[in-house]
Structures are given as C-alpha cells and as structure tokens.
C-alpha cells in the first residue's frame, strides 16, 4: 500500500469524499427501500449523516463546487426517499 503524507486523504480531497459518501448513502437508501426494516433505515440515516458532514467539509474547502452541488441535490433526494421508507416502517 502506498504511503500517504501527514495530511489525511480526506483533507486532501473533500469533494471526492463527499461524492463517495453520497454513493454509499444511495446504496443504503436503496437497501432500505427494498427491505423496509428498522435496521436498514437506521443504517441509511447514518450514511446520510456522514454524507452531510462530508458536504460541509467540501463546502468549506470550496473545491469542485459544481460536483459538490450536484451531489448535494442527490443527497436531498435520498433524504426524501428515506423519509418515505421510514413512514412505511413506522406504519407496520
């Protein structure tokens, strides 16, 4: 494995971290939609929370803002989808 500098990869590439976090959140929400269970919803909420933190970091670094804004839009859609799944889980 290649050695990294003293600064972490996350600090070097905040927009990439955000993009990867949104992809993970997307997979988690899709999992919750296909298997609407409490644990899947909780996992998706955690993934979205992580992505929101990554967004704030990317925004602070003002890096690749066009990509960041695109991913922010996708994240908002995921949050809406997850709210719908949560309602299904709560109703059962």
């Amino acid at each position: 494995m290649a050695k990294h500098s003293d600064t972490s990869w996350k600090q070097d590439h905040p927009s990439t971290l955000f993009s990867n976090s949104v992809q993970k959140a997307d997979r988690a929400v899709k999992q919750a939609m296909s298997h609407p269970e409490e644990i899947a919803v909780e996992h998706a909420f955690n993934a979205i929370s992580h992505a929101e933190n990554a967004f704030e970091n990317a925004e602070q670094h003002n890096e690749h803002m066009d990509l960041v804004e695109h991913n922010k839009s996708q994240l908002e859609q995921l949050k809406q989808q997850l709210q719908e799944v949560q309602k299904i889980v709560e109703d059962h």
Side-chain angles (χ1 to χ4, degrees):
M1 184 173 227
K3 292 194 175 200
H4 294 284
S5 65
D6 288 340
T7 56
S8 81
W9 178 87
K10 292 177 186 179
Q11 291 171 335
D12 290 340
H13 304 284
S15 64
T16 303
L17 175 65
F18 177 47
S19 180
N20 291 343
S21 297
V22 170
Q23 289 176 6
K24 288 179 184 178
D26 182 53
R27 288 191 298 271
V29 169
K30 286 179 180 172
Q31 179 70 23
M33 290 173 72
S34 64
H35 298 88
E37 299 166 356
E38 190 173 329
I39 191 72
V41 170
E42 184 178 335
H43 179 71
F45 269 116
N46 289 339
I48 286 174
S49 177
H50 181 77
E52 288 176 328
N53 290 337
F55 166 72
E56 290 175 13
N57 187 41
E59 194 174 46
Q60 287 175 358
H61 285 86
N62 209 18
E63 182 182 296
H64 302 292
M65 290 310 291
D66 55 338
L67 180 61
V68 169
E69 287 303 318
H70 171 74
N71 284 319
K72 179 65 175 168
S73 296
Q74 184 179 358
L75 185 59
E76 291 303 319
Q77 290 175 340
L78 293 172
K79 288 166 65 173
Q80 290 175 352
Q81 291 173 337
L82 187 57
Q83 287 176 351
E84 293 171 14
V85 173
Q86 185 177 24
K87 288 177 188 173
I88 292 169
V89 169
E90 289 174 353
D91 290 344
H92 282 93

